[in-house]
């Protein structure tokens, strides 16, 4: 068993237990107050179990030597952190939706390592915008979480 598979199995077990404990902790919450924590706990357990099944079922892949440029990776990591800090700063003036869409676009551009075709990049951006819009809509309209609105305009 490879070290990565062992880490995946251990992490999956830990997050499954944490998700179950989080679910149990919400038994005293009100019906509305338990929606968000139970949703997060449910998806935590589901993804952990899926990773566990994948880690147990998959055959080990042959190891290839890494040929990455460490300097470029460090710069990419710094850029990703800077984008997240800029996102936090821009939430107030631009609002959560617009700031999140801009941050997502920047994160995709910085993190994309392959020479992607324009069609693939447009597809990724479109899916990201739709997901951000959908999550914002669910949080504001279904879960009734107050979403920061733009103060700039």
């Amino acid at each position: 068993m490879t070290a990565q598979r062992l880490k995946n199995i251990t992490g999956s077990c830990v997050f499954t237990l944490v998700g179950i404990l989080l679910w149990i902790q919400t038994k005293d919450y009100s019906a509305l107050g338990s929606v968000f924590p139970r949703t997060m706990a449910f998806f935590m357990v589901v993804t952990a179990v899926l990773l566990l099944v994948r880690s147990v079922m998959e055959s080990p892949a042959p190891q290839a030597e890494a040929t990455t440029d460490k300097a470029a990776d460090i710069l990419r990591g710094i850029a990703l952190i800077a984008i997240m800090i800029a996102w936090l700063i821009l939430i107030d003036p631009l609002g959560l939706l617009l700031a999140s869409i801009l941050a997502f676009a920047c994160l995709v551009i910085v993190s994309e390592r392959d020479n992607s075709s324009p069609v693939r990049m447009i597809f990724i951006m479109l899916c990201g915008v739709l997901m951000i819009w959908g999550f914002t809509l669910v949080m504001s309209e279904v879960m009734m979480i107050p979403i920061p609105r733009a103060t700039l305009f």
Side-chain angles (χ1 to χ4, degrees):
M1 181 175 297
T2 65
Q4 185 62 43
R5 283 179 77 182
L6 186 60
K7 288 178 188 177
N8 286 349
I9 291 170
T10 305
S12 296
C13 292
V14 168
F15 278 100
T16 301
L17 290 174
V18 169
I20 292 169
L21 289 174
L22 288 175
W23 184 278
I24 292 169
Q25 290 293 321
T26 62
K27 68 178 169 61
D28 295 331
Y29 289 13
S30 67
L32 188 58
S34 67
V35 171
F36 185 75
R38 283 190 172 183
T39 302
M40 293 299 110
F42 172 77
F43 283 111
M44 184 185 298
V45 169
V46 167
T47 54
V49 168
L50 288 174
L51 179 61
L52 180 65
V53 168
R54 182 180 142 215
S55 297
V56 170
M57 301 294 281
E58 84 178 350
S59 60
Q63 296 293 329
E65 272 195 48
T67 58
T68 59
D69 182 14
K70 291 196 186 285
D73 286 345
I74 291 172
L75 289 175
R76 184 178 288 116
I78 292 170
L80 294 175
I81 292 170
I83 291 167
M84 295 309 297
I85 291 171
W87 171 70
L88 288 172
I89 293 169
L90 291 174
I91 286 177
D92 187 43
L94 298 180
L96 181 69
L97 182 63
L98 183 56
S100 297
I101 290 171
L102 289 173
F104 176 79
C106 292
L107 288 169
V108 167
I109 291 167
V110 169
S111 64
E112 190 64 35
R113 293 176 182 213
D114 302 328
N115 292 331
S116 297
S117 68
V119 173
R120 182 173 186 261
M121 289 299 286
I122 290 170
F123 178 73
I124 290 171
M125 296 290 185
L126 183 62
C127 289
V129 167
L130 289 174
M131 285 177 52
I132 292 168
W133 177 77
F135 284 135
T136 304
L137 186 66
V138 167
M139 286 191 304
S140 65
E141 301 301 321
V142 176
M143 295 180 167
M144 303 295 182
I145 298 171
I147 302 297
R149 306 284 182 208
T151 57
L152 187 62
F153 42 87

